[in-house]
Amino acid sequence: MSWVLALIIGGVAGWLAGAIMDSSRGGVLFNIVLGILGGVVGTWLFGLLNIFASGSILGVLLTATVGAIVIIVIARLFTGKV
């Protein structure tokens, strides 16, 4: 996957996670970072469960979105907001 596609998917995944979790933060850069970190976390979590959803762009998007949601939940545990 090219880095441009990774940035686009990361941005969409970060935006989706923010919309699902009603996150007060925003911005394109924040969404991209959240989505890319979410991809790493989601891949790790899905790997622990022996779920491999990275065969397609939708699978990668789902994995990154789930990971980004997990990051938002963890951030809220420590800060109470995000």
Side-chain angles (χ1 to χ4, degrees):
M1 178 172 17
S2 73
W3 62 274
V4 174
L5 187 58
L7 290 176
I8 292 169
I9 291 173
V12 172
W15 174 79
L16 279 173
I20 291 169
M21 297 298 293
D22 193 30
S23 179
S24 62
R25 290 211 166 218
V28 175
L29 184 61
F30 180 79
N31 286 342
I32 290 172
V33 171
L34 182 63
I36 291 172
L37 290 176
V40 172
V41 171
T43 301
W44 177 72
L45 286 174
F46 283 8
L48 289 176
L49 300 171
N50 287 328
I51 300 171
F52 299 100
S54 62
S56 67
I57 291 178
L58 288 178
V60 172
L61 181 62
L62 174 71
T63 302
T65 303
V66 169
I69 289 171
V70 169
I71 291 172
I72 291 172
V73 168
I74 291 170
R76 284 185 180 171
L77 289 174
F78 287 105
T79 64
K81 54 185 160 180
V82 164

